[in-house]
Amino acid sequence: MLVDDERLDYLLAEDLRIIQSPSVFSFSLDAVLLARFAYVPLKRGTIVDLCTGNGAIPLFLSARTESRIIGVELQERLVHMARRSVAYNELESQIDIIEGDVKDMPKQLGFEKYDVVTCNPPYFPAHEMSDKNISEHMAIARHELYLTLDEAVLSASQLLKQGGKAAFVHRSGRLIDLISVMRANRLEPKRIRLVYPKAGKEANTLLIEGIKDGKPDLKILPPLIVYGEDGEYTEEVRELLYGDK
């Protein structure tokens, strides 16, 4: 089942397993935060996760909802990893992993059909390729080589029904860019949460959710602090990762 340097990791809070690889792809805390931040219907509806990587967000979401989940990933190797993780957890009836370009998904999956879209897009412009040693898989996942922020938001909007919700995680420095491009594509920002590595430090991560054709009314949620003064995860982050066990 495992290939090359792959390993089978635990998603402790969800009691699931996921295939990861240090040289190909491993999900980050951002995926956990987005999966917990996003609104999801409990039973009805369909969720689309764009830039799904090795399928972490669909797996996380499957513990919160009975809705159908579609993960979209461009890279064949990551698609293969995600599909094997879905099969290992016996979630084939709930989760589908599709190989394809995010930009093509509205035409392929259908316009204005979906209730929720989540997206953890590439964070860095293509010209910021400073680390020459990262693998091609990681370069594509981290840098806007095949997908820009504008393209990701446009596809999310086109997939969503009117009143549907889109949730994104990104660098906090892109807040104005995100709000601007969301509004330009009929996604009205409704909830924002900033993530701080430690209390007293600047935020480095942004969680934002918008409603398609929603009315302006933005809620700024309490800050999320990742590490305490002792260098350990805060109680909130620990619970997100490991559950309340």
Side-chain angles (χ1 to χ4, degrees), residues 73-80 99-100 136-138 140-141:
E73 173 53 47
L74 177 68
Q75 300 188 64
E76 182 181 7
R77 176 71 192 278
L78 273 61
V79 168
H80 189 43
E99 181 180 348
E136 180 187 9
H137 299 289
M138 291 183 183
I140 293 171

Side-chain angles (χ1 to χ4, degrees), residues 49-231:
D49 179 52
L50 303 176
C51 310
T52 206
N54 64 341
I57 289 175
L59 290 173
F60 287 130
L61 292 177
S62 73
R64 295 183 56 206
T65 179
E66 296 176 16
S67 300
R68 182 178 174 229
I69 305 167
I70 301 170
V72 177
E73 173 53 47
L74 177 68
Q75 300 188 64
E76 182 181 7
R77 176 71 192 278
L78 273 61
V79 168
H80 189 43
M81 291 169 68
R83 285 175 176 165
R84 282 179 287 138
S85 291
V86 169
Y88 184 89
N89 292 289
E90 299 181 348
L91 290 168
E92 298 100 322
S93 62
Q94 184 181 12
I95 300 174
D96 293 310
I97 304 295
I98 293 176
E99 181 180 348
D101 192 320
V102 165
K103 298 187 290 291
D104 298 334
M105 285 306 113
K107 190 178 293 184
Q108 183 173 332
L109 295 176
F111 288 85
E112 301 195 340
K113 287 179 59 177
Y114 300 94
D115 301 275
V116 177
V117 174
T118 55
C119 184
N120 181 2
Y123 286 174
F124 304 104
H127 65 262
E128 289 187 16
M129 288 282 289
S130 57
D131 188 348
K132 306 299 183 186
N133 297 317
I134 63 174
S135 71
E136 180 187 9
H137 299 289
M138 291 183 183
I140 293 171
R142 292 179 183 175
H143 296 80
E144 295 180 337
L145 299 174
Y146 294 99
L147 182 72
T148 67
L149 177 60
D150 289 36
E151 290 166 341
V153 173
L154 172 61
S155 287
S157 178
Q158 290 176 335
L159 288 164
L160 281 174
K161 297 174 179 175
Q162 188 174 28
K165 297 185 178 182
F168 303 91
V169 60
H170 216 291
R171 292 187 298 166
S172 54
R174 300 295 297 274
L175 172 60
I176 302 304
D177 294 337
L178 257 168
I179 288 176
S180 298
V181 72
M182 286 173 71
R183 279 191 150 175
N185 287 284
R186 300 169 55 196
L187 298 176
E188 182 62 31
K190 300 291 281 186
R191 292 195 301 137
I192 288 178
R193 192 171 195 192
L194 292 171
V195 183
Y196 299 78
K198 278 189 171 184
K201 299 289 187 182
E202 292 183 359
N204 59 2
T205 301
L206 160 73
L207 298 160
I208 186 166
E209 183 178 74
I211 294 180
K212 186 166 183 178
D213 298 328
K215 295 179 180 178
D217 180 24
L218 179 64
K219 289 185 172 67
I220 309 292
L221 303 181
L224 193 158
I225 311 297
V226 177
Y227 294 105
E229 291 304 314
D230 57 1

Side-chain angles (χ1 to χ4, degrees), residues 22-64:
S23 64
V24 177
F25 189 89
S26 297
F27 74 85
S28 68
L29 179 62
D30 293 354
V32 182
L33 299 180
L34 179 61
R36 292 304 187 94
F37 172 78
Y39 161 85
V40 290
L42 292 178
K43 295 191 175 183
R44 297 182 180 176
T46 305
I47 301 163
V48 179
D49 179 52
L50 303 176
C51 310
T52 206
N54 64 341
I57 289 175
L59 290 173
F60 287 130
L61 292 177
S62 73
R64 295 183 56 206

